[in-house]
Amino acid sequence: MNDDAPIFEVSSLSLYYDDFRALKDIDMEIRRYAITALIGPSGCGKSTLLRCFNRMNDLIPTARIEGRILFEGSDLYHPDVDATEIRSRIGMVFQRPNPFPKSIYDNVAFGLKINGYRGDIDEAIERSLRQAALWDEVKDRLKDSALELSGGQQQRLCIARALAVEPEVILMDEPASALDPIATLAIEELVRELSESYTIVIVTHNMQQAARVSHETAFLMAGEDRSGYLVEHGATSQIFTTPKSERTEAYITGRFS
Amino acid sequence: METTARGAATVRGDRAATGRFRRRRGASLESRVIWWVFFLCAMLSVLTTVAIVFSLLSQALSFFREVGVWEFISGTRWTPILKPRSYGVLPLVNGTLLVAFLAAIVALPVGLATAIFLAEYAPDKVRRIIKPALEVLAGVPTVVYGYFALTFVTPQLQRVFPDMIVFNALSAGIVMGIMIIPMVSSLSEDAMISVPRSLRQAAYALGATKLETSVKVVVPAALSGIVASFILAISRAIGETMLVTIAAGATPRMTANPLDSIQTMTAYIVQLALGEAAHGSLEYNTIFAVGLLLFVMTLCMNLLGYWVVRRWRQAY
């Protein structure tokens, strides 16, 4: 596939929870091998939008979507598409570290096993932990419970777990919001490194973080009816220096949050 | 509205007038009495346990003055009423464990599958039907289960095993298994429901199916609660009396064959208590020896269950 072609193309996407419209007519493209930050005030639907990309919203019985998302040119929500297969190609890291109550080794091995990995599992685990910059800290204690790790280490373990199944995209939902500043910087550095080989979409509350790590930024807001809509999407440098919309400018300069 | 406002104002006025809250007379006496009432209620169960242990021990001791403990624990013939008398309790233990084992074979898988279904799969509507049904199952008197085993399950089983006699371990074991399914399923379901949603999401996000998420993430995470439910259910099966008295027979026997007629420890106690053994006689005291052993066995099971929960509980 052409590297210049967008990996996701979202067109007139709306998402409803029962009758409540949480997202309204979103049109955007996600660039391949770039970090796209989704920013906006609480309740603007940025996490909801993120969860549309790997069909996590399918797990909420009342949620349904209108419009279309193309992933690698084909309809992500086509009835023939297997959501579990999609999720092994589009990984996700959550707001709070959520390692399984298993060993460090088994956490990373989980995705490999359920997806029928046929290579050397030990090798894949080492590779993933190295990519997540965690290997040196845990290589001597792979059999220890993941719950004994610090919060920042747990989050890097969750990233390693997501990387192990070799996804094309990694979705991150405020991955550093539960971490201290030093652990946050480690995660940000890791995200930058990963963007060389993965497409990353990251939701963040923290505008400095968006400015520091992302290549592109999309700004969402909730309208009068509380549905989220896309205000502006462009190169991060442009959004933060010369935003087209006054609302974007007001938000990034901290006039409301 | 206005009345209320004025009322409140009056109260404040009174307080302002006296300058302090009026202390109700006898408040300290009252709190001391209440303390004792609640304390005694709470102590009732402790005292009962102590009394049971005491009565079991004292009469079992007079049994063990005449029969050696080792002879009792290791003997394989139990004929305390018929001559030649023999006081080996193992045939009764064998009967108890055989029925409990059969019950476990039924209840553990079915109960766990029920719990997985309720916790992970069932839509609200279905859950609202199944949960009360399970509660009804748990509330059926055990004597009803006994006759259900004897008059319904046994004849069905006899079609498969024509040689099987009317009183047998298999029928009692199966029905006892059904009886303890609600224990397994409701405790296991509670344990699974308390597994954080974030773990399920983590599994789904890695491409796990619902079954993989349930079996490889939720069940292991809830394992301490599930194992504890197994242990408590088996403990219940060991102590269950009425069902086995009615359906399993009255033949103490060393056997692993579920089609045999057997006698459990509990059923023996009932049989002897209803008979005409004289108080204080050696026959009569066997009740307490067997009862003490039963008490120790179920106590160990419950302690084991308690330990499993403490030892394996995950702090998320």
Side-chain angles (χ1 to χ4, degrees):
Chain A
M1 186 73 43
N2 179 1
D3 271 9
D4 295 335
I7 193 159
F8 286 109
E9 294 160 71
V10 181
S11 45
S12 352
L13 178 76
S14 292
L15 184 137
Y16 297 84
Y17 295 120
D18 280 327
D19 295 334
F20 170 61
R21 194 180 198 181
L23 291 176
K24 188 162 70 181
D25 291 331
I26 309 271
D27 288 289
M28 71 185 296
E29 293 180 346
I30 302 288
R31 219 178 84 205
R32 194 182 303 268
Y33 300 127
I35 303 173
T36 302
L38 305 180
I39 63 168
S42 301
C44 70
K46 52 195 190 299
S47 286
T48 303
L49 175 59
L50 189 76
R51 282 154 188 265
C52 288
F53 290 123
N54 67 341
R55 295 188 52 173
M56 282 300 271
N57 289 323
D58 288 17
L59 301 173
I60 302 168
T62 59
R64 69 192 160 83
I65 70 150
E66 279 172 9
R68 212 167 55 159
I69 300 181
L70 298 183
F71 172 54
E72 298 286 17
S74 58
D75 186 359
L76 193 61
Y77 283 82
H78 191 277
D80 293 344
V81 171
D82 177 4
T84 58
E85 197 252 323
I86 283 298
R87 292 189 200 117
S88 68
R89 294 173 62 191
I90 306 172
M92 188 167 216
V93 176
F94 296 84
Q95 214 174 86
R96 299 194 148 272
N98 55 355
F100 300 124
K102 300 171 186 276
S103 70
I104 294 167
Y105 183 96
D106 287 340
N107 262 277
V108 187
F110 181 84
L112 296 169
K113 285 179 182 160
I114 59 168
N115 288 300
Y117 183 71
R118 294 238 188 107
D120 183 337
I121 287 204
D122 290 357
E123 232 169 64
I125 286 173
E126 179 175 343
R127 174 176 47 78
S128 312
L129 286 169
R130 279 190 194 281
Q131 275 184 301
L134 190 60
W135 175 251
D136 291 335
E137 291 159 65
V138 302
K139 64 181 175 206
D140 300 322
R141 46 192 285 220
L142 293 175
K143 295 290 172 200
D144 288 4
S145 167
L147 301 181
E148 286 165 22
L149 299 173
S150 73
Q153 289 173 322
Q154 287 190 4
Q155 195 62 303
R156 276 178 283 149
L157 177 65
C158 292
I159 293 173
R161 181 174 69 182
L163 293 175
V165 294
E166 298 177 20
E168 293 147 60
V169 182
I170 302 171
L171 308 174
M172 298 184 160
D173 189 357
E174 303 197 42
S177 68
L179 305 180
D180 64 61
I182 293 173
T184 299
L185 282 179
I187 297 281
E188 285 180 9
E189 201 182 311
L190 176 59
V191 170
R192 292 287 312 199
E193 277 168 28
L194 292 174
S195 72
E196 284 168 24
S197 19
Y198 300 90
T199 304
I200 293 173
V201 184
I202 182 168
V203 164
T204 177
H205 219 84
N206 176 333
M207 271 165 302
Q208 286 78 22
Q209 185 172 71
R212 277 196 300 265
V213 302
S214 71
H215 305 109
E216 297 203 357
T217 297
F219 173 56
L220 285 85
M221 266 182 75
E224 297 279 289
D225 55 355
R226 298 191 295 132
S227 341
Y229 64 99
L230 181 67
V231 178
E232 192 171 351
H233 177 198
T236 297
S237 53
Q238 176 254 310
I239 295 276
F240 278 88
T241 53
T242 53
K244 292 190 187 113
S245 159
E246 281 173 23
R247 284 163 297 180
T248 312
E249 191 180 354
Y251 182 70
I252 59 174
T253 53
R255 265 182 272 153
F256 69 95
S257 61
Chain B
M1 283 294 274
E2 210 164 306
T3 345
T4 334
R6 210 179 300 142
T10 320
V11 169
R12 275 200 297 274
D14 282 355
R15 282 185 182 166
T18 55
R20 61 186 172 88
F21 294 101
R22 259 185 309 144
R23 191 182 170 79
R24 274 170 304 157
R25 247 169 291 161
S28 110
L29 178 67
E30 180 190 288
S31 72
R32 226 176 312 161
V33 169
I34 293 292
W35 192 92
W36 276 102
V37 168
F38 288 156
F39 174 73
L40 288 177
C41 289
M43 282 304 285
L44 188 63
S45 57
V46 178
L47 292 174
T48 310
T49 311
V50 171
I52 288 175
V53 172
F54 178 77
S55 89
L56 278 177
L57 270 180
S58 64
Q59 305 206 50
L61 273 181
S62 50
F63 171 81
F64 286 120
R65 242 175 257 137
E66 293 177 56
V67 178
V69 174
W70 182 247
E71 182 190 342
F72 176 72
I73 294 288
S74 65
T76 55
R77 255 171 54 80
W78 182 254
T79 51
I81 309 169
L82 309 168
K83 288 177 183 169
R85 294 177 200 267
S86 175
Y87 300 96
V89 79
L90 283 181
L92 295 180
V93 174
N94 179 108
T96 292
L97 294 183
L98 179 59
V99 174
F101 175 72
L102 293 169
I105 288 179
V106 174
L108 305 193
V110 177
L112 182 58
T114 306
I116 293 176
F117 178 74
L118 289 175
E120 306 297 316
Y121 283 83
D124 265 354
K125 272 184 208 153
V126 180
R127 202 193 336 257
R128 274 203 290 271
I129 297 168
I130 294 183
K131 288 209 68 153
L134 280 168
E135 273 154 37
V136 169
L137 203 60
V140 174
T142 56
V143 63
V144 175
Y145 278 111
Y147 281 100
F148 176 67
L150 187 63
T151 62
F152 180 78
V153 177
T154 299
Q156 308 306 318
L157 289 171
Q158 277 173 325
R159 291 195 210 169
V160 188
F161 309 106
D163 297 337
M164 192 176 72
I165 44 174
V166 174
F167 299 101
N168 62 81
L170 182 60
S171 173
I174 290 172
V175 174
M176 191 182 303
I178 294 169
M179 187 181 87
I180 60 178
I181 284 172
M183 260 185 106
V184 175
S185 69
S186 84
L187 291 173
S188 300
E189 186 203 352
D190 289 347
M192 284 190 248
I193 281 180
S194 60
V195 171
R197 243 164 50 95
S198 64
L199 292 187
R200 294 182 179 84
Q201 295 202 332
Y204 286 128
L206 289 165
T209 62
K210 191 151 205 161
L211 183 65
E212 286 164 337
T213 305
S214 307
V215 174
K216 294 182 180 166
V217 174
V218 179
V219 167
L223 199 61
S224 72
I226 293 170
V227 171
S229 84
F230 287 179
I231 292 172
L232 291 179
I234 292 170
S235 170
R236 167 90 197 276
I238 289 174
E240 168 51 30
T241 307
M242 209 45 160
L243 202 172
V244 283
T245 305
I246 294 169
T251 325
R253 169 183 287 156
M254 296 298 290
T255 178
N257 181 0
L259 303 184
D260 273 343
S261 185
I262 50 100
Q263 186 169 41
T264 66
M265 300 163 78
T266 50
Y268 168 76
I269 293 174
V270 171
Q271 183 198 19
L272 208 86
L274 294 179
E276 51 248 30
H279 277 236
S281 66
L282 185 59
E283 292 100 306
Y284 185 76
N285 284 339
T286 55
I287 291 182
F288 296 92
V290 173
L292 181 65
L293 182 59
L294 190 64
F295 179 82
V296 170
M297 282 168 67
T298 50
L299 182 70
C300 288
M301 293 293 283
N302 290 354
L303 289 178
L304 183 65
Y306 185 69
W307 179 81
V308 164
V309 169
R310 294 263 314 235
R311 173 72 183 72
W312 286 354
R313 182 164 29 214
Q314 297 291 351
Y316 298 110

